[in-house]
Amino acid sequence: MPDTPPPSAETPVAQALARIRARIAAACARAGRDPASVTLVAVSKTHPAERVAEAIAAGQMVFGENRVQEAKAKFPALRAAHPGLTLHLIGPLQTNKAGDAVALCDAIETLDRPRLAEVLAKEMAKQGRRPDVFLQVNVGDEPQKAGVAKGEAASLLRLAREEFGLPVVGAMCIPPVDQDPAPHFAWLAAFARDQGLACLSMGMSGDFEVAIAHGATHVRVGTAIFGARG
Ligand SMILES: *Cc1c(COP(=O)(O)O)cnc(C)c1O
């Protein structure tokens, strides 16, 4: 009978994670940055909990999901088994899901409008939980895309901080798919610097090295770890 393979080390997910970590380290070396200054957010949306468990077995503890419903179905059990897990919400958030998002997530990366700031503040007060908040900026000013317009980003940030007392730690963006992401990353980095935001969530499977060159502290990588989404 053939031996069963070792439990975790050689799964495709573990191999992909090792490759991505090496590329992050190389991008940091080129940029003269400490690799510890970049957090890999493994985007597990659409992939089953078994794949997430493989990533955990390979030492990955930070995950991103784009839908509250899916996060709610997958993560409570994983979290019970692995108390150190960190979950980032990276998809658009409806106000009626804000309570679940505050209860489930450690970071909410998609604050993009005043009404959501208000509801998040209420939920945080009610639940006594304060997940980190990132301001999502629509850096390409694309009409169909989530995120606050660049011209309104500073005023929304001021409102979120001063009026609602939200723990805003960073800025997040998804550049237009058909454009060079570099100028968009540069814009967000300058915005974060000007506004005193320490965290920069930018870069996905196709462009995380460029994002690291521009100062990303969080890269959100899905396909390059878990494979294509069905
Ligand atoms: C799906 C998603 C990602 C991951 O994209 P990949 O190209 O699969 O790495 C990153 N950020 C957000 C906001 C996403 O929705």
Side-chain angles (χ1 to χ4, degrees):
M1 259 184 46
D3 290 337
T4 47
S8 65
E10 295 307 321
T11 62
V13 166
Q15 290 171 352
L17 271 169
R19 284 195 298 270
I20 297 299
R21 289 187 190 123
R23 285 172 59 186
I24 289 172
C28 285
R30 286 194 297 273
R33 298 184 55 194
D34 178 356
S37 68
V38 178
T39 298
L40 172 60
V41 179
V43 177
S44 49
K45 66 186 185 199
T46 78
H47 296 286
E50 291 74 44
R51 295 291 91 70
V52 179
E54 289 174 6
I56 294 168
Q60 178 65 29
M61 293 297 273
V62 185
F63 293 89
E65 285 282 340
N66 72 331
R67 293 177 61 234
V68 173
Q69 283 308 110
E70 187 178 345
K72 206 175 168 179
K74 263 153 64 175
F75 273 84
L78 289 163
R79 220 195 250 290
H82 307 278
L85 276 195
T86 299
L87 180 61
H88 287 230
L89 181 70
I90 61 170
L93 179 56
Q94 296 168 257
T95 49
N96 65 1
K97 303 266 170 58
D100 282 341
V102 167
L104 270 168
C105 300
D106 304 287
I108 295 171
E109 296 202 14
T110 51
L111 172 62
D112 64 355
R113 58 199 190 279
R115 174 76 183 135
L116 183 57
E118 182 182 354
V119 175
L120 284 173
K122 279 205 183 104
E123 285 296 338
M124 288 187 195
K126 194 163 102 190
Q127 298 184 32
R129 270 181 60 81
R130 289 175 69 73
D132 288 343
V133 174
F134 291 64
L135 193 75
Q136 181 180 359
V137 183
N138 184 358
V139 287
D141 286 323
E142 297 172 280
Q144 80 289 0
K145 200 170 255 176
V148 62
K150 285 193 286 190
E152 291 163 18
S155 64
L156 177 59
L157 178 61
R158 195 176 323 115
L159 183 82
R161 282 170 157 166
E162 293 171 16
E163 178 82 16
F164 298 117
L166 288 178
V168 187
V169 300
M172 177 271 216
C173 75
I174 310 168
V177 286
D178 53 348
Q179 292 177 23
D180 177 5
H184 298 294
F185 293 155
W187 187 92
L188 197 72
F191 173 78
R193 197 181 320 112
D194 289 348
Q195 300 292 333
L197 292 170
C199 298
L200 266 178
S201 175
M202 53 191 202
M204 315 197 328
S205 289
D207 57 14
F208 67 87
E209 284 134 325
V210 181
I212 288 170
H214 285 85
T217 63
H218 293 72
V219 293
R220 309 178 308 267
V221 178
T223 310
I225 297 171
F226 294 106
R229 290 179 285 273

